[in-house]
Amino acid sequence: MKKISINENAYPYPMPMVVLGTLVEDRPNFMAVGWVSRVNFQPPMIAVALGKGHYTNGGIHATGAFSVNIPGIDLMAKVDYCGLVSGRDADKSALFTVVRGEKTGAPLIEECPLSMECKLTNVLELPSNELFVGEIVGAYADPNRCSAGKPDITKIRPFTLTMPDNRYWEVGASAGKAWSIGKNLNR
Amino acid sequence: MKKISINENAYPYPMPMVVLGTLVEDRPNFMAVGWVSRVNFQPPMIAVALGKGHYTNGGIHATGAFSVNIPGIDLMAKVDYCGLVSGRDADKSALFTVVRGEKTGAPLIEECPLSMECKLTNVLELPSNELFVGEIVGAYADPNRCSAGKPDITKIRPFTLTMPDNRYWEVGASAGKAWSIGKNLNR
């Protein structure tokens, strides 16, 4: 192998930055999360991995619901703030315009061009984190940031995170069509 | 709410594109995956969500190991091909230069600038997918694509996937420092 061994604390990056919304003691709370993925196709399900000490975790356990909000890059400073300050120490409920999810009551962020409300289905206990899995029971998009009724990444302008260098990145140029460009691979 | 309700089949995008390596019936096999995330901080653990019908799943169950390889954008067509063709129908073992992981024997892709070998720790059964969780027991990087001994995203040039429009995207411009730019937020 020509590669060199590096620290095992490695990442499948770049990771999408989202804001998790929960009700904690009846107050909307928001947390910045980069460890998130779709995990089931039908029904649509999503998972987020949160360190065990977070204020958010109690809210998910208590309400059985959470929201996943995709911020545009215009919200980057507010999203970063959500990752710096715990809901235990600061009221983050006024940071965004809050709308309640129609199905779960989870707090959604109006300013985020795409919001999903999730009903908790599974919790996987891991050594230092809890993996919360939820079914997406409602999804809402800003019509001005859709094309043909679907979210358009060039209008949403989400951003990504790399670790351990801890940097945010814009989405770059369109690079090709998936499940397509490999069809004519000359092997 | 000013947003409109859309189909629940929504995504936390952009999603990182990786190639999963497994031994299936003693032959290296590779699968393109966009549903991947770190899920535990210490020890470092990673999860991949695979549809239940895939050829790869049997290999992970049988060997208790898999690799996660981060391709550069130069490998995009080959990665796409891995997502188009099943290992049941085509031998993908010669598509890349294969190196065996030192700890698990899982097949790693030499051409990918970053490879992680994982030891299976948990399987979460979901309705249409299996979520495989593994501990990263070895990580290997191309020294020419590192800076100060750590993977450098500007040299690795990974790419991302959006669904349901099914497009690949380059990583764009550096946009800010995480856990930092929110410090001086004027609220």
Coordinates of all heavy atoms in Angstrom, one line a residue, chain B residues 21-105:
Chain B
G21 N -16.2 -1.3 0.4 CA -15.5 -2.5 -0.1 C -15.8 -3.6 0.9 O -15.8 -3.5 2.1
T22 N -16.1 -4.8 0.3 CA -16.4 -6.0 1.1 C -15.8 -7.2 0.4 O -15.6 -7.1 -0.8 CB -17.9 -6.2 1.2 OG1 -18.5 -6.1 0.0 CG2 -18.6 -5.3 2.2
L23 N -15.6 -8.2 1.1 CA -15.3 -9.5 0.5 C -16.6 -10.3 0.4 O -17.3 -10.5 1.5 CB -14.3 -10.3 1.4 CG -12.9 -10.0 1.2 CD1 -12.1 -11.0 2.1 CD2 -12.4 -10.1 -0.2
V24 N -17.0 -10.7 -0.8 CA -18.2 -11.5 -0.9 C -17.8 -12.8 -1.6 O -17.3 -12.8 -2.7 CB -19.3 -10.8 -1.7 CG1 -20.6 -11.6 -1.7 CG2 -19.6 -9.4 -1.3
E25 N -18.0 -13.9 -0.9 CA -17.5 -15.2 -1.4 C -16.0 -15.1 -1.8 O -15.7 -15.5 -2.9 CB -18.4 -15.7 -2.5 CG -19.8 -16.0 -2.0 CD -20.8 -16.2 -3.1 OE1 -20.5 -16.2 -4.3 OE2 -22.0 -16.4 -2.7
D26 N -15.2 -14.5 -0.9 CA -13.8 -14.4 -1.1 C -13.3 -13.5 -2.2 O -12.1 -13.4 -2.5 CB -13.1 -15.8 -1.3 CG -13.2 -16.6 0.0 OD1 -13.2 -16.0 1.1 OD2 -13.3 -17.8 -0.1
R27 N -14.3 -12.8 -2.9 CA -13.9 -11.9 -3.9 C -14.2 -10.4 -3.5 O -15.3 -10.1 -3.0 CB -14.7 -12.2 -5.2 CG -14.2 -11.6 -6.5 CD -14.9 -12.0 -7.7 NE -16.3 -11.5 -7.7 CZ -17.3 -11.9 -8.5 NH1 -17.0 -12.8 -9.4 NH2 -18.5 -11.4 -8.4
P28 N -13.2 -9.5 -3.7 CA -13.5 -8.1 -3.4 C -14.7 -7.6 -4.2 O -14.7 -7.8 -5.4 CB -12.2 -7.4 -3.8 CG -11.1 -8.4 -3.7 CD -11.8 -9.7 -4.2
N29 N -15.6 -6.8 -3.6 CA -16.7 -6.2 -4.3 C -16.8 -4.8 -3.8 O -16.5 -4.5 -2.7 CB -18.0 -7.0 -4.0 CG -19.1 -6.5 -4.8 OD1 -19.0 -6.5 -6.1 ND2 -20.2 -6.1 -4.2
F30 N -17.3 -3.9 -4.7 CA -17.4 -2.5 -4.4 C -18.8 -2.0 -4.8 O -19.3 -2.3 -5.8 CB -16.3 -1.7 -5.2 CG -14.9 -2.2 -4.8 CD1 -14.2 -3.0 -5.7 CD2 -14.4 -1.9 -3.6 CE1 -12.9 -3.5 -5.4 CE2 -13.1 -2.4 -3.2 CZ -12.4 -3.2 -4.1
M31 N -19.2 -1.1 -3.9 CA -20.6 -0.5 -4.0 C -20.5 1.0 -3.8 O -19.9 1.4 -2.8 CB -21.5 -1.2 -3.0 CG -22.9 -0.7 -3.0 SD -23.9 -1.6 -1.7 CE -25.4 -0.6 -1.9
A32 N -21.2 1.7 -4.6 CA -21.3 3.2 -4.4 C -22.4 3.5 -3.3 O -23.5 3.0 -3.4 CB -21.6 3.9 -5.7
V33 N -22.0 4.3 -2.4 CA -23.0 4.6 -1.3 C -23.0 6.1 -1.0 O -21.9 6.8 -0.9 CB -22.6 3.9 0.0 CG1 -23.5 4.3 1.2 CG2 -22.7 2.4 -0.2
G34 N -24.2 6.7 -0.8 CA -24.3 8.1 -0.4 C -24.9 8.2 1.0 O -25.0 9.3 1.5
W35 N -25.4 7.1 1.5 CA -26.0 7.1 2.8 C -25.0 6.6 3.8 O -25.0 5.4 4.2 CB -27.3 6.3 2.8 CG -28.4 6.8 1.9 CD1 -28.3 7.9 1.1 CD2 -29.7 6.4 1.8 NE1 -29.5 8.1 0.5 CE2 -30.4 7.2 0.9 CE3 -30.4 5.3 2.4 CZ2 -31.7 7.0 0.5 CZ3 -31.8 5.1 2.1 CH2 -32.4 5.9 1.1
V36 N -24.2 7.5 4.3 CA -23.1 7.2 5.2 C -22.9 8.3 6.1 O -23.1 9.5 5.8 CB -21.8 6.9 4.3 CG1 -21.5 8.2 3.5 CG2 -20.6 6.6 5.2
S37 N -22.5 8.0 7.4 CA -22.2 9.1 8.4 C -21.3 8.5 9.5 O -21.4 7.3 9.8 CB -23.5 9.6 9.0 OG -23.3 10.6 9.9
R38 N -20.5 9.4 10.0 CA -19.9 9.1 11.3 C -21.1 9.0 12.3 O -22.0 9.8 12.2 CB -18.9 10.1 11.8 CG -17.5 9.9 11.4 CD -16.8 8.8 12.1 NE -16.6 9.0 13.5 CZ -15.5 9.6 14.0 NH1 -14.5 9.9 13.3 NH2 -15.4 9.7 15.3
V39 N -21.0 8.0 13.3 CA -22.1 7.9 14.2 C -21.6 7.9 15.7 O -22.5 7.9 16.6 CB -23.0 6.7 14.0 CG1 -23.8 6.9 12.7 CG2 -22.2 5.4 13.9
N40 N -20.3 7.7 15.9 CA -19.8 7.7 17.3 C -18.5 8.4 17.3 O -17.7 8.2 16.4 CB -19.7 6.2 17.8 CG -19.6 6.2 19.3 OD1 -20.5 6.5 20.0 ND2 -18.4 5.8 19.8
F41 N -18.2 9.1 18.4 CA -17.0 9.9 18.5 C -15.8 9.0 19.0 O -14.8 8.9 18.3 CB -17.2 11.1 19.4 CG -15.9 12.0 19.4 CD1 -15.6 12.7 18.2 CD2 -15.1 12.1 20.5 CE1 -14.4 13.4 18.2 CE2 -14.0 12.8 20.5 CZ -13.6 13.5 19.3
Q42 N -16.0 8.3 20.1 CA -15.0 7.6 20.7 C -15.5 6.2 21.2 O -16.3 6.2 22.1 CB -14.3 8.3 21.8 CG -13.0 7.7 22.4 CD -12.0 7.5 21.3 OE1 -11.8 8.4 20.4 NE2 -11.3 6.4 21.3
P43 N -15.1 5.1 20.6 CA -14.2 4.9 19.5 C -14.8 5.5 18.2 O -16.1 5.5 18.1 CB -13.9 3.4 19.4 CG -15.2 2.8 19.9 CD -15.6 3.7 21.0
P44 N -14.1 5.8 17.2 CA -14.6 6.3 15.9 C -15.5 5.2 15.2 O -14.9 4.1 15.0 CB -13.4 6.7 15.1 CG -12.3 6.0 15.7 CD -12.6 5.8 17.2
M45 N -16.7 5.5 15.0 CA -17.6 4.5 14.3 C -18.3 5.2 13.2 O -18.6 6.4 13.2 CB -18.6 3.9 15.3 CG -17.9 3.1 16.4 SD -19.0 2.8 17.8 CE -19.8 1.3 17.2
I46 N -18.7 4.4 12.2 CA -19.3 4.9 10.9 C -20.4 4.0 10.6 O -20.4 2.8 10.9 CB -18.2 4.9 9.8 CG1 -18.4 5.9 8.7 CG2 -17.9 3.6 9.3 CD1 -17.2 6.2 7.9
A47 N -21.5 4.5 10.0 CA -22.6 3.7 9.6 C -22.9 3.9 8.1 O -22.8 5.0 7.6 CB -23.9 4.1 10.4
V48 N -23.4 2.8 7.5 CA -23.8 2.9 6.1 C -25.2 2.2 6.0 O -25.4 1.1 6.7 CB -22.8 2.2 5.1 CG1 -21.6 3.0 5.0 CG2 -22.5 0.8 5.6
A49 N -26.1 2.8 5.3 CA -27.5 2.2 5.1 C -27.6 1.6 3.7 O -27.6 2.4 2.7 CB -28.5 3.3 5.4
L50 N -27.8 0.3 3.7 CA -27.9 -0.4 2.4 C -29.2 -1.0 2.2 O -29.7 -1.7 3.1 CB -26.8 -1.5 2.3 CG -25.3 -1.1 2.6 CD1 -24.4 -2.3 2.4 CD2 -24.9 0.1 1.8
G51 N -29.8 -0.9 1.0 CA -31.0 -1.6 0.7 C -30.8 -3.1 0.9 O -29.7 -3.6 0.7
K52 N -31.9 -3.7 1.3 CA -31.8 -5.1 1.7 C -31.4 -6.1 0.6 O -30.8 -7.1 0.9 CB -33.1 -5.6 2.4 CG -33.2 -5.1 3.8 CD -34.4 -5.6 4.6 CE -34.4 -5.0 6.0 NZ -35.6 -5.4 6.7
G53 N -31.6 -5.8 -0.6 CA -31.4 -6.7 -1.7 C -29.9 -6.8 -2.1 O -29.6 -7.6 -3.0
H54 N -29.1 -5.9 -1.6 CA -27.7 -5.8 -2.2 C -26.8 -6.9 -2.0 O -26.9 -7.5 -0.9 CB -27.1 -4.5 -1.8 CG -27.6 -3.2 -2.5 ND1 -27.5 -3.0 -3.8 CD2 -28.3 -2.2 -2.0 CE1 -28.1 -1.9 -4.1 NE2 -28.6 -1.3 -3.0
Y55 N -26.0 -7.2 -3.0 CA -25.0 -8.3 -2.9 C -24.0 -8.1 -1.7 O -23.6 -9.0 -1.1 CB -24.3 -8.3 -4.2 CG -23.3 -9.4 -4.5 CD1 -23.8 -10.8 -4.5 CD2 -22.0 -9.2 -4.7 CE1 -22.9 -11.8 -4.8 CE2 -21.1 -10.2 -4.9 CZ -21.5 -11.5 -5.0 OH -20.6 -12.5 -5.2
T56 N -23.7 -6.8 -1.5 CA -22.7 -6.4 -0.5 C -23.1 -6.9 0.9 O -22.3 -7.3 1.7 CB -22.6 -4.9 -0.5 OG1 -21.8 -4.5 -1.7 CG2 -21.8 -4.3 0.7
N57 N -24.4 -6.8 1.2 CA -24.9 -7.1 2.6 C -24.5 -8.4 3.1 O -24.0 -8.6 4.2 CB -26.4 -7.0 2.7 CG -27.0 -5.6 2.2 OD1 -26.4 -5.0 1.3 ND2 -28.1 -5.2 2.8
G58 N -24.5 -9.4 2.2 CA -24.2 -10.8 2.6 C -22.7 -10.8 3.0 O -22.3 -11.5 4.0
G59 N -21.9 -10.1 2.3 CA -20.4 -10.1 2.6 C -20.1 -9.4 3.9 O -19.2 -9.9 4.6
I60 N -20.9 -8.4 4.2 CA -20.6 -7.8 5.6 C -21.1 -8.7 6.7 O -20.3 -8.9 7.7 CB -21.4 -6.4 5.7 CG1 -20.9 -5.5 4.6 CG2 -21.2 -5.8 7.1 CD1 -21.7 -4.1 4.6
H61 N -22.2 -9.3 6.5 CA -22.7 -10.3 7.5 C -21.7 -11.4 7.7 O -21.4 -11.9 8.8 CB -24.0 -10.9 7.2 CG -25.2 -9.9 7.4 ND1 -25.6 -9.6 8.7 CD2 -26.0 -9.3 6.6 CE1 -26.6 -8.8 8.7 NE2 -26.9 -8.6 7.4
A62 N -21.1 -11.9 6.6 CA -20.3 -13.1 6.6 C -18.9 -12.8 7.2 O -18.3 -13.6 7.9 CB -20.1 -13.7 5.2
T63 N -18.3 -11.6 6.8 CA -17.0 -11.3 7.2 C -16.9 -10.4 8.5 O -15.8 -10.3 9.1 CB -16.2 -10.6 6.1 OG1 -16.8 -9.4 5.8 CG2 -16.2 -11.5 4.8
G64 N -18.0 -9.7 8.8 CA -17.9 -8.8 9.9 C -17.0 -7.6 9.7 O -16.5 -7.0 10.6
A65 N -16.8 -7.3 8.4 CA -15.9 -6.2 8.1 C -16.3 -5.5 6.8 O -17.0 -6.1 6.0 CB -14.5 -6.7 8.0
F66 N -16.0 -4.2 6.7 CA -16.2 -3.5 5.4 C -15.2 -2.3 5.4 O -14.6 -2.0 6.4 CB -17.6 -3.0 5.3 CG -18.1 -2.1 6.3 CD1 -18.0 -0.7 6.2 CD2 -18.8 -2.6 7.5 CE1 -18.5 0.1 7.2 CE2 -19.3 -1.8 8.5 CZ -19.1 -0.4 8.3
S67 N -15.0 -1.8 4.2 CA -14.1 -0.6 4.1 C -15.0 0.6 3.5 O -15.9 0.4 2.8 CB -12.9 -0.8 3.2 OG -13.3 -0.9 1.9
V68 N -14.6 1.8 3.9 CA -15.2 3.0 3.4 C -14.1 3.8 2.7 O -13.1 4.1 3.4 CB -15.9 3.8 4.5 CG1 -16.4 5.2 3.9 CG2 -17.0 3.1 5.1
N69 N -14.2 4.0 1.4 CA -13.2 4.6 0.6 C -13.7 5.9 0.1 O -14.8 6.0 -0.5 CB -12.8 3.7 -0.5 CG -12.3 2.3 0.0 OD1 -11.2 2.2 0.3 ND2 -13.2 1.4 0.0
I70 N -12.9 7.0 0.3 CA -13.4 8.3 -0.2 C -12.7 8.6 -1.6 O -11.5 8.7 -1.7 CB -12.9 9.5 0.7 CG1 -13.3 9.1 2.2 CG2 -13.5 10.8 0.3 CD1 -14.8 9.1 2.4
P71 N -13.5 8.6 -2.7 CA -12.9 8.8 -4.0 C -12.7 10.2 -4.3 O -13.5 11.1 -3.9 CB -13.9 8.2 -4.9 CG -15.2 8.4 -4.2 CD -14.9 8.4 -2.7
G72 N -11.7 10.6 -5.1 CA -11.6 11.9 -5.7 C -12.5 12.0 -6.9 O -12.9 10.9 -7.4
I73 N -12.7 13.2 -7.4 CA -13.6 13.3 -8.5 C -13.1 12.7 -9.8 O -13.9 12.4 -10.7 CB -13.9 14.9 -8.6 CG1 -15.3 15.0 -9.4 CG2 -12.8 15.6 -9.3 CD1 -15.9 16.4 -9.2
D74 N -11.8 12.5 -9.8 CA -11.2 11.8 -11.0 C -11.7 10.3 -11.1 O -11.7 9.7 -12.2 CB -9.7 11.8 -10.9 CG -9.2 11.2 -9.5 OD1 -9.6 11.7 -8.5 OD2 -8.4 10.2 -9.5
L75 N -12.3 9.8 -10.0 CA -12.8 8.4 -10.1 C -14.3 8.4 -10.3 O -14.9 7.3 -10.1 CB -12.4 7.7 -8.8 CG -10.9 7.5 -8.5 CD1 -10.7 6.8 -7.1 CD2 -10.3 6.6 -9.6
M76 N -14.9 9.5 -10.6 CA -16.4 9.6 -10.6 C -17.1 8.6 -11.5 O -18.1 7.9 -11.1 CB -16.8 11.0 -11.0 CG -18.3 11.3 -10.8 SD -18.7 13.1 -11.0 CE -18.0 13.3 -12.6
A77 N -16.6 8.4 -12.7 CA -17.2 7.4 -13.6 C -17.1 6.0 -13.1 O -18.1 5.2 -13.1 CB -16.6 7.5 -15.0
K78 N -16.0 5.6 -12.5 CA -15.8 4.3 -11.9 C -16.8 4.1 -10.7 O -17.3 3.0 -10.5 CB -14.4 4.0 -11.5 CG -13.5 3.6 -12.7 CD -12.2 3.1 -12.2 CE -11.3 2.6 -13.3 NZ -10.0 2.0 -12.9
V79 N -16.9 5.1 -9.9 CA -17.8 5.1 -8.7 C -19.2 4.9 -9.2 O -19.9 4.1 -8.7 CB -17.6 6.3 -7.9 CG1 -18.7 6.4 -6.7 CG2 -16.2 6.4 -7.3
D80 N -19.6 5.7 -10.2 CA -20.9 5.6 -10.7 C -21.2 4.2 -11.3 O -22.3 3.6 -11.0 CB -21.2 6.6 -11.8 CG -22.6 6.8 -12.2 OD1 -23.4 7.2 -11.3 OD2 -23.0 6.6 -13.3
Y81 N -20.2 3.6 -11.9 CA -20.4 2.3 -12.5 C -20.6 1.3 -11.3 O -21.5 0.4 -11.4 CB -19.1 1.9 -13.2 CG -19.0 0.4 -13.7 CD1 -19.7 0.0 -14.9 CD2 -18.4 -0.5 -12.9 CE1 -19.6 -1.3 -15.3 CE2 -18.3 -1.9 -13.3 CZ -18.9 -2.2 -14.5 OH -18.9 -3.5 -14.9
C82 N -19.9 1.5 -10.2 CA -20.1 0.6 -9.0 C -21.6 0.6 -8.5 O -22.0 -0.3 -7.9 CB -19.2 1.0 -7.9 SG -17.5 0.5 -8.1
G83 N -22.2 1.8 -8.7 CA -23.6 1.9 -8.3 C -24.6 1.4 -9.3 O -25.8 1.2 -9.0
L84 N -24.1 1.2 -10.5 CA -25.0 0.7 -11.6 C -25.1 -0.8 -11.8 O -26.1 -1.3 -12.2 CB -24.6 1.3 -13.0 CG -24.9 2.8 -13.3 CD1 -24.0 3.3 -14.4 CD2 -26.4 2.9 -13.6
V85 N -24.0 -1.5 -11.4 CA -23.9 -2.9 -11.7 C -23.7 -3.7 -10.4 O -22.9 -3.3 -9.6 CB -22.7 -3.1 -12.6 CG1 -22.5 -4.6 -12.9 CG2 -22.8 -2.3 -13.9
S86 N -24.5 -4.7 -10.2 CA -24.4 -5.5 -9.0 C -23.2 -6.5 -9.1 O -22.9 -7.0 -10.2 CB -25.7 -6.3 -8.8 OG -25.5 -7.3 -7.8
G87 N -22.6 -6.8 -8.0 CA -21.6 -7.8 -7.9 C -22.1 -9.2 -8.3 O -21.3 -10.1 -8.6
R88 N -23.4 -9.4 -8.3 CA -24.0 -10.7 -8.7 C -23.8 -10.9 -10.2 O -23.7 -12.0 -10.7 CB -25.5 -10.7 -8.4 CG -25.9 -11.0 -7.0 CD -27.4 -11.3 -6.8 NE -27.7 -11.2 -5.4 CZ -28.1 -10.1 -4.8 NH1 -28.3 -9.0 -5.5 NH2 -28.3 -10.1 -3.5
D89 N -23.8 -9.7 -10.9 CA -23.8 -9.8 -12.4 C -22.4 -9.5 -13.0 O -22.2 -9.8 -14.2 CB -24.8 -8.8 -13.0 CG -26.2 -9.0 -12.4 OD1 -26.6 -10.2 -12.2 OD2 -26.9 -8.0 -12.1
A90 N -21.6 -8.8 -12.2 CA -20.3 -8.4 -12.8 C -19.2 -8.5 -11.7 O -19.4 -8.3 -10.5 CB -20.3 -7.0 -13.3
D91 N -18.0 -8.9 -12.1 CA -16.8 -9.0 -11.2 C -16.2 -7.6 -11.2 O -15.7 -7.1 -12.2 CB -15.9 -10.0 -11.8 CG -14.6 -10.1 -10.9 OD1 -14.5 -9.4 -9.9 OD2 -13.7 -11.0 -11.2
K92 N -16.4 -6.9 -10.0 CA -15.8 -5.6 -9.9 C -14.5 -5.5 -9.2 O -14.0 -4.5 -8.9 CB -16.8 -4.7 -9.1 CG -18.1 -4.4 -9.9 CD -19.1 -3.4 -9.2 CE -20.1 -4.1 -8.4 NZ -21.1 -3.2 -7.8
S93 N -13.9 -6.8 -9.0 CA -12.7 -6.8 -8.2 C -11.5 -6.2 -8.9 O -10.5 -5.9 -8.3 CB -12.4 -8.3 -7.8 OG -12.1 -9.1 -9.0
A94 N -11.5 -6.1 -10.3 CA -10.4 -5.6 -11.0 C -10.6 -4.1 -11.4 O -9.7 -3.5 -12.1 CB -10.2 -6.4 -12.3
L95 N -11.6 -3.5 -10.9 CA -11.9 -2.1 -11.2 C -10.9 -1.2 -10.6 O -10.6 -0.1 -11.2 CB -13.3 -1.8 -10.7 CG -14.1 -0.6 -11.3 CD1 -14.3 -0.8 -12.8 CD2 -15.5 -0.6 -10.6
F96 N -10.4 -1.6 -9.4 CA -9.5 -0.7 -8.7 C -8.3 -1.6 -8.3 O -8.4 -2.9 -8.3 CB -10.1 -0.2 -7.4 CG -11.4 0.6 -7.7 CD1 -12.6 0.1 -7.4 CD2 -11.3 1.9 -8.2 CE1 -13.8 0.8 -7.6 CE2 -12.5 2.7 -8.4 CZ -13.7 2.1 -8.1
T97 N -7.2 -1.0 -7.8 CA -6.1 -1.7 -7.2 C -6.5 -2.0 -5.8 O -6.8 -1.1 -5.0 CB -4.8 -0.9 -7.2 OG1 -4.6 -0.5 -8.6 CG2 -3.6 -1.7 -6.7
V98 N -6.6 -3.3 -5.4 CA -7.1 -3.7 -4.1 C -5.9 -4.0 -3.2 O -5.0 -4.7 -3.5 CB -8.0 -5.0 -4.2 CG1 -8.4 -5.4 -2.9 CG2 -9.2 -4.7 -5.1
V99 N -6.0 -3.4 -2.0 CA -5.1 -3.7 -0.9 C -5.9 -4.2 0.3 O -7.0 -3.7 0.5 CB -4.3 -2.4 -0.5 CG1 -3.3 -2.7 0.6 CG2 -3.7 -1.7 -1.7
R100 N -5.5 -5.1 1.0 CA -6.2 -5.6 2.1 C -6.0 -4.8 3.4 O -4.8 -4.5 3.7 CB -5.9 -7.1 2.4 CG -6.3 -8.1 1.3 CD -7.8 -8.0 1.1 NE -8.2 -9.0 0.1 CZ -8.5 -10.3 0.5 NH1 -8.4 -10.7 1.7 NH2 -8.8 -11.2 -0.5
G101 N -7.0 -4.5 4.1 CA -6.9 -3.8 5.4 C -6.0 -4.7 6.4 O -6.2 -5.9 6.5
E102 N -5.1 -4.0 7.1 CA -4.2 -4.8 8.0 C -4.9 -5.4 9.2 O -4.5 -6.4 9.7 CB -3.2 -3.8 8.5 CG -2.3 -3.2 7.4 CD -1.4 -2.0 7.8 OE1 -1.4 -1.7 9.0 OE2 -0.7 -1.5 6.9
K103 N -6.1 -4.8 9.6 CA -6.7 -5.3 10.8 C -7.9 -6.2 10.5 O -8.2 -7.1 11.3 CB -7.3 -4.1 11.6 CG -6.3 -3.0 11.9 CD -5.4 -3.4 13.0 CE -4.4 -2.3 13.3 NZ -4.9 -1.0 13.7
T104 N -8.6 -6.1 9.3 CA -9.8 -6.8 9.1 C -9.7 -7.7 7.8 O -10.5 -8.5 7.6 CB -11.0 -5.9 8.9 OG1 -10.8 -5.1 7.7 CG2 -11.2 -5.0 10.1
G105 N -8.7 -7.4 7.0 CA -8.7 -8.0 5.7 C -9.7 -7.5 4.6 O -9.7 -8.0 3.5

